[in-house]
Structure formats: C-alpha cells, structure tokens
Amino acid sequence: MRLRRRLQRWRGASMAAFAVSALLALAAPPAMSASSAPKFEMGRVPWTGAWGPYTLSVGKKADQARGEYAPENARVSDAQGILMKEVRADRILVLDFVEMNGRGAPELHLSATSGGAHCCVTDYYFTHDGGAVRNLLIMEGANGGVNGEKDLNGDGYKEIILANDALAYFGGNPYAATPWMTMIVGWNGRRYVDQTRRFPQRSRQQATEYRNELWAARRKTDDMAEILRRMNALGYYANALVTGDELLATNWIRRYAPRSTRNWLLRQRAQVKAAVAESANKISVSQVKTFGDWE
C-alpha cells in the first residue's frame, strides 16, 4: 500500500513536470534556422532571416530619386552585425537554401538581376561549412540561369542544371530565335566546373527536340520560315556538340536540312564552337566581400 501511494505521488509529480515543460516549450519562440526563416519573396523588402549563426537581410539602396525602384542588396552578417558578404543588384530575384554536399548546413543560393531587356541574371552560392562564409560559385547566366539542383550520379554532391543562352543573337538571328542549351555544372573535388558532357541526357533530349522541329519546318514558306529553321538547326548542332555527337548532327543536317539552312550553319561551325566554348567563362568563384554593383 505504501509503495502504491509513493508511485502515485511520483507519477503525479512527473506528469506535472512534463506539463510545465510542454507549456514552456510552446511559449518559447522558435529558434531561427535556414528552414524556419520566413520565405523570401521577390520585391517584398526589407526582409530578414537567418542562416545558421548568420543574419540575412535584403533591402534597398537609400535613393530618394528612385524610391521604390531603387536597387537592392542581400547581406550576410555575423552575430556582432559585421558584414561577411553582400550582393548588389537591380533586384534580388531568389534567396533560398540548398544542401549541396550532404553535410553541414544548407548552402545559400542568391539570384540577382542587373535589370534591362534580356539581361543579366547572376547566381551565387555560398557556404559556411567549416565556420567562415565562403563563395562556392558565381554563374553569369545572362538571359538564362539556374533551373535546379540535383545529385545526378548519387555521389552526395548536387549538380546545378542551367539554361545557357550562349547563342543569343547568333548569326544575326533575333533574340526570339535564340536556341537554348542545357549546361550542367558540378563539383570536381576542388571547385564547380562545366560537366555537361559527363551528364549528357538533358542536352541529347534538347538536341532531339530541335532536330524534330527542324524536320517539321523544312517545307515552310512563310516570312519567318528560314529564321525558324536556322534556330532549330543551330539548337540541334550546338546541343549535339557539347555531348560529343557533332558528327551525327552534321551528317543529319547535310542530308535533311534545306540548302539555305544547311549552308548557313555549316559555314559558321567554327563560330558556333567558339561561342559554346565561351560558356565555361560564365563560371567563377571569388572571396571578395561585395559582389555586383549599383549603377
């Protein structure tokens, strides 16, 4: 009987303590983290969030003349308010968190635009694994940019899938006739580099789509017909080029493309190769404190 009373008193005290702990937990404000910070929405500034021990903020440059159209910046500051990194741009388009390497805290991804027609988007990736805030990648996307991140080979590191506009305005074509390319950027053990040939599936699919469109347009006679054929021939050839399928594409174009389209493309193959090779220069890394600029 005494033992039963003791157990009842112990259970009562334990339940009371549990109830108090639960109430305290509910009353306590949630700790800010990359996942619990309020989601950033383009144009809704000022905005403040957290990234592990760092504070993130997006705001506008003090510019009375431009008012709500003033350029913006995204800042990373430490617990003492000391600025670690800053991105300046006409607009901050994206601020999100992506686990890129399967360890530590998620990485910070910022996408920013310089404003203006058809230009220019730049994507930035930062990490604070190891303590210090470091830049991992700057991608000068121009009219393109990041479409997503995915571990394509299961090694724990995510590749970055990009839309590449390396052929914008090529050969006198209007911007609306720009053929798009897929670019895959991946970690090589030291830094992010172009690895499109290592992961060719998306580029081959895009090449096939352009080839099919070229086939469908081969007998068109309207005012835009030749521009449409040039766009598709160029898209087919360039996407085949980056996957090592150049000869296959060249032979198909020689055989099936109308003469005007075929001649236009084949005499410019060297320029196409140079423009595609230039894509590697879109990728860089820097440990400066301030990225971008305000005009």
Side-chain angles (χ1 to χ4, degrees), residues 258-293:
R259 179 181 297 178
S260 58
T261 309
R262 178 176 67 241
N263 291 343
W264 175 84
L265 178 68
L266 295 181
R267 70 170 176 258
Q268 297 189 91
R269 281 181 294 173
Q271 292 94 318
V272 176
K273 291 177 181 179
V276 171
E278 186 68 20
S279 297
N281 294 328
K282 293 174 177 280
I283 306 168
S284 63
V285 62
S286 174
Q287 301 310 328
V288 299
K289 182 175 288 188
T290 301
F291 300 81
D293 201 1

Side-chain angles (χ1 to χ4, degrees), residues 9 90 94 102 108 156 180 227 247 283 289:
R9 284 197 297 270
D90 184 73
V94 174
L108 171 65
W180 288 90
I227 290 176
L247 182 59
I283 306 168
K289 182 175 288 188

Side-chain angles (χ1 to χ4, degrees), residues 29-202:
M32 292 293 288
S33 66
S35 59
S36 64
K39 183 176 177 62
F40 172 77
E41 296 181 29
M42 182 183 68
R44 301 190 67 173
V45 295
W47 176 92
T48 302
W51 180 36
Y54 297 96
T55 297
L56 304 174
S57 61
V58 179
K60 289 186 178 291
K61 178 185 179 183
D63 188 335
Q64 293 183 347
R66 296 184 63 179
E68 64 178 300
Y69 301 105
E72 298 177 352
N73 64 344
R75 297 164 60 93
V76 182
S77 305
D78 68 8
Q80 287 73 46
I82 298 173
L83 179 65
M84 300 287 101
K85 300 291 181 183
E86 178 184 27
V87 171
R88 295 178 176 181
D90 184 73
R91 286 291 177 272
I92 304 298
L93 304 176
V94 174
L95 185 157
D96 59 10
F97 306 97
V98 185
E99 181 50 72
M100 296 296 292
N101 56 22
R103 62 178 187 272
E107 277 61 52
L108 171 65
H109 168 221
L110 294 168
S111 184
T113 178
S114 65
H118 309 309
C119 203
C120 287
V121 174
T122 305
D123 287 275
Y124 305 86
Y125 288 83
F126 299 94
T127 186
H128 64 74
D129 289 350
V133 179
R134 295 180 295 111
N135 175 244
L136 290 175
L137 171 68
I138 305 168
M139 181 68 195
E140 301 287 352
N143 307 286
V146 172
N147 283 336
E149 303 91 356
K150 186 176 182 180
D151 184 356
L152 297 176
N153 61 353
D155 66 352
Y157 288 84
K158 286 184 178 175
E159 282 69 42
I160 303 169
I161 304 164
L162 301 128
N164 184 1
D165 72 335
L167 299 171
Y169 304 108
F170 184 87
N173 276 358
Y175 177 77
T178 298
W180 288 90
M181 301 173 63
T182 296
M183 186 175 184
I184 307 295
V185 175
W187 185 255
N188 71 353
R190 298 182 57 192
R191 57 170 295 176
Y192 283 94
V193 296
D194 183 1
Q195 294 188 343
T196 307
R197 184 165 291 199
R198 185 181 177 193
F199 303 101
Q201 294 87 347
R202 286 169 173 79

Side-chain angles (χ1 to χ4, degrees), residues 9-22:
R9 284 197 297 270
W10 178 82
R11 285 173 183 157
S14 298
M15 290 302 292
F18 175 79
V20 170
S21 298

